[in-house]
Amino acid sequence: MKYFAVFLPMKDEEKSKAYREEHLKFLEGLREKDVIIMNGRFTDGAGGLVIYKGEHDEEVEKLVKQDPYVINGARGYEMHEWEMVTNYEI
């Protein structure tokens, strides 16, 4: 299983407000399926971040493109495979 950090930079603040509830329901559905492990907004209003789990970047990108924020032009997206570190060895 791989992890992907998906940045959702703000494109349209009004659309972001209008589609927020749909976006959060979309994320909750994926969280229930154990596809999303965390998400949150940036406090400076620049957008947000979602951490997805998946086998391939194509699989995750397909899901990202179903996000109401992305579909409706409220947010863009930038996706990077992320190597999560859970503990450190010294």
Side-chain angles (χ1 to χ4, degrees):
M1 188 66 57
K2 297 178 182 178
Y3 296 93
F4 297 87
V6 178
F7 296 88
L8 297 169
M10 184 69 68
K11 289 177 72 175
D12 186 313
E13 194 170 338
E14 290 304 313
K15 285 183 180 180
S16 188
K17 289 177 186 176
Y19 293 103
R20 179 174 171 72
E21 188 174 326
E22 287 180 50
H23 164 74
L24 293 175
K25 284 181 183 177
F26 170 75
L27 295 182
E28 183 59 32
L30 292 178
R31 187 181 291 274
E32 289 172 1
K33 295 176 183 174
D34 198 34
V35 174
I36 288 179
I37 61 170
M38 61 183 68
N39 62 281
R41 67 180 187 90
F42 297 128
T43 59
D44 65 0
L49 171 69
V50 182
I51 305 296
Y52 285 81
K53 292 190 323 188
E55 295 295 328
H56 310 282
D57 58 346
E58 296 89 0
E59 168 192 356
V60 172
E61 187 170 27
K62 184 176 178 181
L63 291 172
V64 172
K65 288 181 176 181
Q66 294 174 33
D67 186 326
Y69 272 173
V70 175
I71 290 170
N72 293 291
R75 307 279 180 95
Y77 73 91
E78 182 180 327
M79 189 174 87
H80 301 274
E81 187 174 339
W82 182 51
E83 188 174 304
M84 182 170 58
V85 177
T86 56
N87 58 29
Y88 292 95
E89 292 184 30
I90 297 177

